[in-house]
Amino acid sequence: MQLRPPLYTLVLIAAALCIVVLSAQECVNDEYGNCKSTERSHDCLDPPEFLRFVSSSHRDKSVISSLRGTIENVISAEDASAFVNSLPNFIEASGYEKNTNGKTYAAPQGYAALGLKELKPHSDAYSKIMTIREKVRSATEKSLNICPGSLYIDFTTVSQKVEGGAHRAHADNCIHYFEDGVAKCDTTRAHPYPKRVAASILYLNHPRSGEFEGGQYFFANGTNHGEVEDGGIVDISTGKMVFFTSGIENLHGALPVLRGENKAAEPRRLALALWYVFDKSLMESAEASDANAPTEIFTLPLPNGVDMEKALQAMGMYLVSRQNKPMIGAWKVSKYGDSALHVLFKDHSAMFSITYTKAPSSMVVERHTDTNKRASLQYMLQESVMLHAVLDEAMRLISETELNGSSEIDLFNGGLSLARSKLPARQA
Ligand SMILES: *[C@@H]1O[C@H](CO)[C@@H](O)[C@H](O)[C@H]1NC(C)=O
Ligand SMILES: *[C@@H]1O[C@H](CO)[C@@H](O)[C@H](O)[C@H]1NC(C)=O
């Protein structure tokens, strides 16, 4: 069966787009095999034109093929492996999901990640990621025929998927549903990143070097209940990237990562994902770590008898139950590594984290923002409401465990009132 768009068509489209972008100008291959021009194209689309073009795809499906594509050899296999070798350890992350009984649990997704914040500025890994992400960003911009300099990266992540790691079909800027098999954006539900316009994923290893099978990227059919599109599976190879606009025109996901031929080897699939916006104020700060160090809001000492894992689990569930307060999609809670919870506000201006430490036992609450951004006023108001509730819950959870003697009770009560004194007064 020959259905649109098989992989080679995507590649041809990418190449054709490149030629269209450069119109009458000459297309010179640069060292990465991408066509390149020193002159600014007259035919490029500025942000409003591009958004209109994307919208037209909802009426005219033939437009969709111009809103996605793949490019081979964006970086060399040597550069990819040098970059991977320079990286620090990945951090296990998981989202909260509901099981069939409606119970919420932290679902490990065979997925671990590293963001810019985990890389030390001026380190080898940092300078490598800065170079690679700009290469990918400009290739995406050019391939989508967006005028140079219009796309800003709002989030960078290096992801590691291990056995079972997969992604269900989704759009990147809205929550979708199907009406008679046709994907629609649910405008009644808030998405954390409604302003995203495009994304790209650059593969950093190969099924052979990563000892995996499967794990392919796929486009899901927006007119057929999100079934994998015919010809919509993108095979993975080192240095290859896939780019696509963020709306329901490009529902996409990843097939599960499986063990490779060598069943004893742990499969590991690595990719660099970038998401883009037109709004410069949402640009991810390039100055990482030091300048972005989180601000401590408070540290609550906990009794030594507290089981930290259970405490984190219980607090995670509690936070999940408040994710839609005071509005749908207000907060997004995820478990980060073994000892922390991340709680991101819907306007993405800031998040807070709760880290459980041992010896001494404590609960550390910190606020994270990017250097070039300030937490919004709305975030600050909702943060204090949420953190008062967190302290109430910490107290409720502790009173169910044994406090060992009056000195621990005093320590805990003292910690609670100190923590509250650091928050704005409780809302009525
Ligand atoms: C998407 O589904 C529709 C409806 O079943 C079908 O006609 C079309 O060929 C499919 N497109 C792709 C690319 O799979
Ligand atoms: C409780 O405190 C006593 C005295 O401070 C100490 O000897 C004991 O080990 C503590 N028990 C627990 C469970 O921490």
Side-chain angles (χ1 to χ4, degrees):
M1 252 195 320
Q2 191 59 302
L3 286 159
R4 201 166 43 86
L7 184 50
Y8 67 85
T9 319
L10 290 179
V11 175
L12 287 180
I13 287 161
L17 255 177
C18 207
I19 292 161
V20 171
V21 172
L22 300 167
S23 58
Q25 297 159 23
E26 219 181 320
C27 174
V28 217
N29 277 358
D30 67 10
E31 68 263 45
Y32 305 103
N34 302 321
C35 45
K36 186 177 174 176
S37 162
T38 44
E39 278 181 56
R40 190 185 159 121
S41 158
H42 300 295
D43 300 327
C44 66
L45 302 177
D46 65 19
E49 287 167 339
F50 184 73
L51 293 175
R52 278 197 294 277
F53 184 54
V54 173
S55 299
S56 73
S57 73
H58 301 157
R59 297 183 301 276
D60 176 2
K61 300 293 171 204
S62 71
V63 166
I64 297 178
S65 59
S66 310
L67 302 179
R68 53 164 81 164
T70 62
I71 307 179
E72 306 281 342
N73 304 316
V74 177
I75 63 170
S76 69
E78 291 72 37
D79 285 352
S81 83
F83 171 54
V84 168
N85 291 333
S86 73
L87 292 173
N89 289 335
F90 280 80
I91 298 170
E92 291 295 334
S94 64
Y96 280 91
E97 289 196 3
K98 282 197 180 356
N99 67 15
T100 44
N101 307 323
K103 248 185 125 178
T104 310
Y105 67 103
Q109 288 151 338
Y111 175 79
L114 270 180
L116 279 193
K117 289 188 170 70
E118 278 78 47
L119 303 178
K120 278 204 175 59
H122 315 301
S123 68
D124 190 28
Y126 193 75
S127 56
K128 283 187 163 72
I129 201 170
M130 283 307 173
T131 314
I132 296 172
R133 79 205 265 280
E134 176 49 25
K135 225 165 249 177
V136 172
R137 187 203 66 79
S138 62
T140 305
E141 196 172 61
K142 194 166 6 174
S143 305
L144 288 172
N145 193 18
I146 295 169
C147 294
S150 311
L151 275 190
Y152 297 99
I153 299 171
D154 87 315
F155 197 62
T156 305
T157 182
V158 183
S159 74
Q160 169 180 276
K161 283 198 166 80
V162 294
E163 190 171 15
H167 246 127
R168 276 193 296 255
H170 61 281
D172 283 345
N173 63 13
C174 72
I175 297 171
H176 73 282
Y177 67 100
F178 291 100
E179 199 177 280
D180 299 328
V182 177
K184 300 259 163 76
C185 273
D186 186 343
T187 51
T188 66
R189 297 177 67 190
H191 189 277
Y193 314 108
K195 288 197 164 177
R196 282 186 175 163
V197 290
S200 53
I201 301 173
L202 172 73
Y203 295 101
L204 297 171
N205 68 353
H206 191 275
R208 268 195 309 280
S209 56
E211 309 261 19
F212 66 90
E213 280 177 16
Q216 299 96 328
Y217 175 97
F218 68 87
F219 286 108
N221 191 334
T223 56
N224 189 19
H225 305 272
E227 288 291 310
V228 174
E229 280 187 359
D230 295 307
I233 292 183
V234 177
D235 286 321
I236 293 169
S237 64
T238 314
K240 175 177 180 169
M241 75 177 239
V242 50
F243 61 88
F244 47 92
T245 54
S246 305
I248 42 166
E249 66 282 358
N250 279 320
L251 290 179
H252 62 280
L255 299 174
V257 169
L258 310 169
R259 276 180 194 257
E261 257 168 51
N262 175 3
K263 299 296 175 214
E266 286 296 332
R268 181 177 191 238
R269 192 199 81 157
L270 298 165
L272 171 71
L274 301 177
W275 287 269
Y276 308 99
V277 289
F278 283 138
D279 182 346
K280 192 176 180 185
S281 72
L282 297 175
M283 182 171 72
E284 181 177 33
S285 164
E287 281 305 312
S289 302
D290 298 351
N292 264 344
T295 344
E296 184 192 320
I297 306 173
F298 59 77
T299 294
L300 179 67
L302 296 175
N304 283 324
V306 169
D307 178 332
M308 289 304 186
E309 250 149 60
K310 276 198 190 138
L312 176 135
Q313 203 65 11
M315 188 58 80
M317 298 304 139
Y318 174 69
L319 289 169
V320 165
S321 75
R322 290 189 58 109
Q323 281 187 127
N324 293 332
K325 284 183 188 164
M327 71 286 276
I328 299 283
W331 299 97
K332 186 162 188 313
V333 183
S334 52
K335 187 164 174 263
Y336 203 63
D338 290 333
S339 56
L341 296 164
H342 280 185
V343 189
L344 177 70
F345 192 57
K346 75 173 184 116
D347 72 2
H348 209 209
S349 73
M351 59 168 251
F352 67 86
S353 61
I354 303 181
T355 308
Y356 286 84
T357 67
K358 287 179 190 162
S361 301
S362 68
M363 197 181 98
V364 182
V365 178
E366 294 170 308
R367 181 184 310 126
H368 306 246
T369 51
D370 284 333
T371 25
N372 64 347
K373 278 189 228 160
R374 292 182 61 167
S376 65
L377 184 60
Q378 200 193 12
Y379 170 86
M380 295 303 288
L381 291 172
Q382 294 308 329
E383 180 199 78
S384 76
V385 174
M386 189 68 142
L387 290 179
H388 276 295
V390 161
L391 288 170
D392 291 345
E393 184 65 7
M395 191 167 68
R396 197 185 67 82
L397 292 170
I398 294 301
S399 60
E400 287 171 3
T401 64
E402 293 281 52
L403 275 168
N404 185 13
S406 60
S407 68
E408 280 204 338
I409 295 176
D410 288 349
L411 181 69
F412 185 63
N413 281 334
L416 273 178
S417 45
L418 186 60
R420 288 205 200 274
S421 74
K422 293 185 178 169
L423 299 176
R426 183 189 280 276
Q427 312 276 306

